[in-house]
């Protein structure tokens, strides 16, 4: 299996896109995948990191033919939104040149199962063309400011819903949205329990972590350090700073640290970030990926918004008391000294913030993503996927609904008439709290898997965690016995983390009973099975 990541990094772009792709790459590598990175802009230290891990690095160039994109004008998307300023200037070439280089690399690789795009500078034009040459296209985004053409969209923004991407993705696009899908390295899971536990008995702030990324182009680390140097009467004893050696403020920070009355440690290019973070009583940082790392470890945070795409997350974290805010911009001055002192001094509030934050991110978002993405093969060695149902599937699903095999074990054995089916179907695909998916057997529609939201009041005597769903699954007659249903069940479960799923199975349907038992469902009464998703 070949997996390609298209991402970039620079002082302007930041390092976060490449870093989270590296995290996903490691999980795919463990599953036996060959990993490729396509980059137009990337600093030397990340180049070395990619190569040292044994991954293939391909640099996007402009010295290639443009013959591949001549037909694009015939494939325009109505009312499409394109990459806009300033992201269209982050790369010094056009999307066409980027695509030309990328497609030649793809052809050299051969069969590519998955391409993951993590770039604010790429939109539906590049994606639509590249999708013709790969099996599955994933986009990681949080801006929702342009049209995408992809099979799956991942957005880690807290509280994100599909409404954010209304009319920006194809109808067949699946979503993994919100903080349950935060991409973190496994080291944060390893330190999570220990980190949360040590804060329960902490009644003072002794060790502060300052981290505004490896680049910190706005010199916020230095500004915060200067403010802390002017604050008196605190319990602070030590300060840990994480910043890249190539940062323009690195030398100044090192000089400044020698003049302050604290034990200051400066870390660069470290491999034990979670360990260092877990020892902090308080963190001061931005609202990018590091904010989720702090949430996972339950570290109280004081935020500074460093970029436009951090604003929404910052407001949401502050609104639910999962963090405090020092500034919604990078303009930090002596004016903020008193506010910073006030925030640091309120230890009880900081402890509460850390506890709330720890409930937002459990660190296993990557496992959920991989479970949904992982290409699984049926017993006849064909890849199985699922995709959302669209209006075009109405007749096909009706034909399956009328099959004797479908009605045999259904609660309602009567075959619906077409008009009745049409009304039900058109209402069902409009519902936003249910999941209605087609099972694909080597791209051919071969069945349905569905999750319908249920009111908890219907099952008051059953232990229900969070949202309750009922699952149903069936495959077409010609696909029986190939293992499609079990794969589809596993994939759709990834869409509803930390939820409860009920399955109604006729007592006469022995095959389905075995299917759900094999899938981890527990029988709680006759014809009823239950499972709790992670």
């Amino acid at each position: 299996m070949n997996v390609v990541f298209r991402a970039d990094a620079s002082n302007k772009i930041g390092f976060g896109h490449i870093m989270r792709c590296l995290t996903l790459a490691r999980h795919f590598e463990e599953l036996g995948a060959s990993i490729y990175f396509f980059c137009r802009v990337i600093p030397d230290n990340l180049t070395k990191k990619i190569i040292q891990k044994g991954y293939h690095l391909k640099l996007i160039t402009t010295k290639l033919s443009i013959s591949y994109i001549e037909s694009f004008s015939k494939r325009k998307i109505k009312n499409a939104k394109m990459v806009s300023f300033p992201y269209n200037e982050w790369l010094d070439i056009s999307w066409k040149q980027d695509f030309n280089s990328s497609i030649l690399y793809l052809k050299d690789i051969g069969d590519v199962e998955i391409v993951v795009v993590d770039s604010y500078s790429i939109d539906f034009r590049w994606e639509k063309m590249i999708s013709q040459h790969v099996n599955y296209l994933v986009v990681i985004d949080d801006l929702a400011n342009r049209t995408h053409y992809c099979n799956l969209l991942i957005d880690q923004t807290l509280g994100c819903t599909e409404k954010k991407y209304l009319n920006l993705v194809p109808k067949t696009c699946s979503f993994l949205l919100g903080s349950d899908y935060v991409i973190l390295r496994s080291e944060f899971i390893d330190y999570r329990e220990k980190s949360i536990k040590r804060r329960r008995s902490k009644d003072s702030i002794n060790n502060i972590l300052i981290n505004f990324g490896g680049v910190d182009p706005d010199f916020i680390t230095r500004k915060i350090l200067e403010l802390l140097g002017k604050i008196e009467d605190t319990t602070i004893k030590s300060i840990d700073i994480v910043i890249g050696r190539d940062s323009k403020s690195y030398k100044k920070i090192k000089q400044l640290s020698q003049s302050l009355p604290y034990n200051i440690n400066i870390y660069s290019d470290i491999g034990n970030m979670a360990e260092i973070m877990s020892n902090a009583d308080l963190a001061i940082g931005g609202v990018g990926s590091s904010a989720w790392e702090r949430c996972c470890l339950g570290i109280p945070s004081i935020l500074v918004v460093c970029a436009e795409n951090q604003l929404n997350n910052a407001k949401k974290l502050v609104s639910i008391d999962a963090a405090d805010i020092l500034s919604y911009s990078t303009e930090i001055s002596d004016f903020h000294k008193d506010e910073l002192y006030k925030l640091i001094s309120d230890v009880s509030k900081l402890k509460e913030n850390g506890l709330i934050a720890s409930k937002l991110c459990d660190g296993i978002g990557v496992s959920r993503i991989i479970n949904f993405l992982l290409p699984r093969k049926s017993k006849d060695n064909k890849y199985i996927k699922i995709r959302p149902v669209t209006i075009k599937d109405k007749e096909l699903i009706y034909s399956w609904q009328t099959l004797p095999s479908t009605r045999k074990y259904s609660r309602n054995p009567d075959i619906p008439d077409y008009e009745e089916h049409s009304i039900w179907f058109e209402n069902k695909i409009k519902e936003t709290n249910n999941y209605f998916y087609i099972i694909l057997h080597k791209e051919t529609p071969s069945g349905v898997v569905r999750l319908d939201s249920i009111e908890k009041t219907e099952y008051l005597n059953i232990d229900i965690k969070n949202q309750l769903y009922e699952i149903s699954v069936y495959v077409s007659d010609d696909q029986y016995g190939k293992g499609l249903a079990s794969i589809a069940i596993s994939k759709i479960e990834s869409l509803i983390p930390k939820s409860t799923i009920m399955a109604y199975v006729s007592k006469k349907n022995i095959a389905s009973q075995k299917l759900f038992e094999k899938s981890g469902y527990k029988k709680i009464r006759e014809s009823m099975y239950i499972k709790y998703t992670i």
Side-chain angles (χ1 to χ4, degrees):
M1 177 173 64
N2 296 312
V3 178
V4 172
F5 292 88
R6 175 66 189 90
D8 297 292
S10 68
N11 287 357
K12 185 179 293 185
I13 297 170
F15 293 178
H17 300 278
I18 289 286
M19 293 305 294
R20 64 185 172 193
C21 284
L22 280 169
T23 299
L24 276 177
R26 187 183 70 79
H27 285 261
F28 277 115
E29 180 190 16
E30 290 176 350
L31 295 169
S34 295
I35 306 299
Y36 296 81
F37 275 79
F38 292 3
C39 303
R40 171 62 182 172
V41 184
I42 187 167
D44 290 343
N45 63 323
L46 287 181
T47 295
K48 292 177 183 177
K49 189 181 287 288
I50 290 172
I51 294 173
Q52 285 173 354
K53 290 181 178 295
Y55 304 153
H56 306 275
L57 176 61
K58 304 289 186 179
L59 299 178
I60 304 296
T61 72
T62 60
K63 301 176 182 179
L64 298 168
S65 165
I66 62 170
S67 59
Y68 290 107
I69 51 80
E70 290 176 353
S71 62
F72 179 77
S73 60
K74 301 175 184 178
R75 298 189 179 93
K76 291 182 179 178
I77 297 177
K78 186 178 181 181
N79 299 322
K81 294 183 179 180
M82 302 179 188
V83 173
S84 57
F85 181 83
Y87 310 108
N88 57 345
E89 296 186 352
W90 281 9
L91 303 181
D92 58 352
I93 59 175
S94 71
W95 74 267
K96 295 179 181 180
Q97 293 169 314
D98 196 301
F99 167 78
N100 285 324
S101 187
S102 299
I103 193 61
L104 288 183
Y105 288 143
L106 282 178
K107 288 178 178 292
D108 286 341
I109 295 170
D111 185 40
V112 174
E113 182 61 33
I114 298 172
V115 169
V116 179
V117 181
D118 192 345
S119 172
Y120 294 152
S121 301
I122 290 176
D123 61 24
F124 73 96
R125 294 169 295 179
W126 188 99
E127 295 158 0
K128 189 173 179 65
M129 295 300 293
I130 215 77
S131 66
Q132 300 173 46
H133 303 273
V134 303
N135 292 323
Y136 204 81
L137 184 64
V138 181
V139 167
I140 301 175
D141 191 21
D142 51 28
L143 295 178
N145 65 345
R146 63 205 187 281
T147 302
H148 290 295
Y149 190 88
C150 55
N151 302 102
L152 172 67
L153 190 138
I154 302 171
D155 186 333
Q156 305 173 136
T157 306
L158 182 63
C160 182
T161 65
E162 294 181 18
K163 186 177 180 181
K164 180 177 179 179
Y165 290 91
L166 184 65
N167 299 322
L168 293 180
V169 295
K171 297 290 186 183
T172 54
C173 177
S174 299
F175 293 95
L176 297 178
L177 306 175
S179 58
D180 287 324
Y181 302 99
V182 168
I183 299 170
L184 295 182
R185 300 187 300 280
S186 58
E187 63 178 296
F188 290 95
I189 303 174
D190 297 338
Y191 279 90
R192 174 175 165 81
E193 184 177 352
K194 175 185 175 182
S195 178
I196 294 172
K197 186 176 180 180
R198 73 175 289 273
R199 298 170 204 293
R200 295 172 186 163
S201 58
K202 288 292 293 185
D203 294 317
S204 60
I205 302 299
N206 304 129
N207 180 35
I208 290 181
L209 172 74
I210 303 175
N211 178 20
F212 286 92
V215 180
D216 189 12
D218 298 299
F219 311 106
I220 306 175
T221 301
R222 190 191 72 195
K223 295 173 184 177
I224 295 296
L225 202 56
E226 289 172 345
L227 288 181
L228 290 172
K230 296 173 182 178
I231 292 176
E232 299 177 354
D233 189 30
T234 73
T235 58
I236 301 171
K237 295 179 181 179
S238 62
I239 299 174
D240 290 335
I241 297 171
V242 179
I243 190 166
R245 293 182 185 275
D246 295 332
S247 172
K248 293 181 179 179
S249 61
Y250 180 83
K251 291 183 179 178
K252 179 66 176 177
I253 289 170
K254 201 163 186 178
Q255 292 172 357
L256 181 60
S257 66
Q258 295 171 358
S259 64
L260 297 180
Y262 308 113
N263 177 26
I264 298 179
N265 303 300
I266 302 176
Y267 300 97
S268 300
D269 299 322
I270 54 176
N272 62 330
M273 186 66 178
E275 180 182 5
I276 291 171
M277 291 178 68
S278 67
N279 291 321
D281 302 321
L282 168 68
I284 304 175
V287 203
S289 298
S290 63
W292 294 121
E293 294 169 356
R294 299 191 296 266
C295 285
C296 180
L297 298 177
I299 305 172
S301 295
I302 296 176
L303 309 176
V304 176
V305 175
C306 307
E308 175 192 0
N309 64 311
Q310 296 184 3
L311 186 59
N312 285 337
N313 258 345
K315 289 181 177 178
K316 289 176 181 177
L317 288 169
V318 172
S319 70
I320 60 173
D321 292 326
D324 281 319
I325 187 79
L326 179 65
S327 175
Y328 282 107
S329 76
T330 56
E331 299 299 319
I332 305 295
S333 64
D334 285 350
F335 170 78
H336 293 92
K337 185 186 76 171
D338 292 341
E339 180 64 17
L340 182 59
Y341 174 75
K342 178 183 175 183
L343 294 174
I344 292 174
S345 301
D346 196 345
V347 179
S348 61
K349 186 174 187 297
L350 288 173
K351 286 180 68 173
E352 183 64 21
N353 287 355
L355 180 62
I356 295 172
S358 70
K359 297 177 181 179
L360 300 178
C361 176
D362 56 17
I364 58 176
V366 176
S367 297
R368 297 182 180 110
I369 293 171
I370 294 297
N371 185 60
F372 185 82
L373 270 179
L374 179 63
R376 292 187 176 93
K377 289 186 176 181
S378 58
K379 293 179 182 178
D380 60 346
N381 206 36
K382 299 295 189 295
Y383 281 119
I384 305 303
K385 304 173 187 175
I386 63 172
R387 65 152 174 85
V389 164
T390 71
I391 191 66
K392 295 179 181 179
D393 299 310
K394 182 168 68 173
E395 280 73 20
L396 175 62
I397 291 177
Y398 180 68
S399 70
W400 288 336
Q401 290 281 11
T402 61
L403 293 173
S405 57
T406 304
R407 310 313 312 176
K408 183 176 180 181
Y409 297 117
S410 176
R411 288 184 191 174
N412 180 7
D414 297 331
I415 297 176
D417 61 41
Y418 184 73
E419 183 178 355
E420 181 184 359
H421 168 79
S422 294
I423 295 172
W424 170 85
F425 182 89
E426 290 171 20
N427 287 333
K428 181 62 67 176
I429 63 174
K430 293 177 184 177
E431 294 174 354
T432 57
N433 59 340
N434 298 324
Y435 298 85
F436 195 1
Y437 274 67
I438 289 285
I439 304 171
L440 299 175
H441 175 260
K442 198 183 178 182
E443 306 303 328
T444 301
S446 302
V448 167
V449 60
R450 206 174 80 223
L451 290 168
D452 294 314
S453 179
I454 307 174
E455 290 294 328
K456 296 180 182 180
T457 52
E458 295 182 31
Y459 301 95
L460 293 177
N461 59 336
I462 297 174
D463 181 21
I464 296 171
K465 299 177 181 177
N466 299 318
Q467 183 62 50
L468 175 63
Y469 294 89
E470 180 174 345
I471 189 169
S472 58
V473 60
Y474 57 84
V475 297
S476 56
D477 285 352
D478 59 332
Q479 300 295 349
Y480 275 161
K482 296 180 181 179
L484 275 64
S486 61
I487 297 173
I489 289 171
S490 177
K491 285 184 175 293
I492 203 167
E493 287 173 355
S494 300
L495 302 178
I496 53 166
K498 304 172 186 174
S499 298
T500 304
I501 306 180
M502 305 282 292
Y504 171 81
V505 184
S506 170
K507 62 182 181 181
K508 297 180 181 180
N509 193 346
I510 305 302
S512 287
Q513 290 175 25
K514 292 180 178 179
L515 166 67
F516 282 103
E517 288 171 356
K518 183 181 177 181
S519 299
Y521 287 73
K522 181 180 178 181
K523 186 175 182 179
I524 58 173
R525 64 176 66 160
E526 187 174 82
S527 300
M528 190 173 291
Y529 293 74
I530 192 169
K531 184 176 182 179
Y532 304 106
T533 60
I534 61 168

